Amino acid sequence: MVGEIRDSETAELAFRAAQTGHLVLSTLHTNDAISALPRLQDLGVDSNLIASSLLGVLAQRLVREVCSECREPCAPPVELLAELVGVPSADFRWYRGQGCAGCHYTGYRGRMILAELWSPNDADVMLITRGATFEEIRQSADKTTLPMADDVAEKLGQGRTNLEELIRALPHSALRQLRLTAL
């Protein structure tokens, strides 16, 4: 376990350990899963080393979870909705916590993860190895990535989070990728 990869020395140590058969887990600050690739390259990790060692990247954001004891249906502001996520299906449900003793009258109780997972497939590995552009790799990786937008839409539909919390925790570009339909 490597606490965080912040510099080229740590990155090289982590990838050398991975090359010898160790499972290496670490953190790296990026906006999404695929952006770990150029970040590692910026830290001086050779593309061939990345291609042969990287098993997957999990991007995550923590959001507060709507209190299940006081959760109630609500309607988010239409203009905000249109600006950020477009028009959801008519039967999509929105929720908020009204506040209760269980959540100390905040409407939120606990936290949960919103995640995106990229597991490079053979095509991704070949592109990384041959030094393809980041955009070429991103297009290929889109086919093998479980996008955060899907996880967000699912948890919104379940009433586990709300639009206000997403606006606080996610970049607006991530919100614009949402496709909201009833679950």
Side-chain angles (χ1 to χ4, degrees):
M1 180 74 182
V2 177
E4 182 178 344
I5 297 177
R6 294 184 197 194
D7 54 47
S8 58
E9 182 180 353
T10 306
E12 185 175 336
L13 284 169
F15 276 86
R16 294 290 173 209
Q19 284 286 294
T20 63
H22 292 85
L23 176 62
V24 178
L25 303 172
S26 187
T27 61
L28 185 70
H29 291 278
T30 64
N31 287 331
D32 57 13
I34 186 64
S35 294
L37 180 62
R39 177 75 176 115
L40 290 167
Q41 291 169 331
D42 289 346
L43 289 172
V45 181
D46 181 75
S47 294
N48 290 323
L49 196 53
I50 295 170
S52 65
S53 303
L54 189 67
L55 297 176
V57 180
L58 180 75
Q60 66 179 15
R61 299 282 177 144
L62 286 176
V63 295
R64 295 179 296 174
E65 190 163 0
V66 173
C67 178
S68 60
E69 292 179 33
C70 64
R71 181 177 64 202
E72 65 181 11
C74 69
V78 176
E79 61 280 350
L80 183 62
L81 199 58
E83 176 188 339
L84 294 176
V85 297
V87 180
S89 69
D91 52 353
F92 192 86
R93 293 215 186 278
W94 300 92
Y95 297 90
R96 70 177 181 88
Q98 65 184 14
C100 68
C103 64
H104 303 287
Y105 300 97
T106 63
Y108 297 99
R109 190 171 187 179
R111 294 187 181 264
M112 69 176 167
I113 186 175
L114 300 175
E116 171 179 277
L117 177 64
W118 172 49
S119 296
N121 64 10
D122 291 342
D124 298 339
V125 169
M126 290 298 292
L127 288 170
I128 295 167
T129 302
R130 74 170 176 83
T133 67
F134 178 63
E135 279 310 310
E136 290 174 309
I137 297 168
R138 181 181 287 282
Q139 286 177 359
S140 176
D142 281 348
K143 298 171 190 156
T144 58
T145 299
L146 300 173
M148 187 177 294
D150 291 355
D151 195 28
V152 169
E154 179 180 342
K155 288 174 179 165
L156 266 173
Q158 294 169 346
R160 295 183 60 203
T161 190
N162 58 31
L163 192 57
E164 292 82 7
E165 183 61 7
L166 296 177
I167 290 168
R168 185 194 65 77
L170 297 175
H172 285 198
S173 60
L175 292 173
R176 288 190 192 101
Q177 295 174 10
L178 291 175
R179 301 291 174 257
L180 304 176
T181 57
L183 299 175

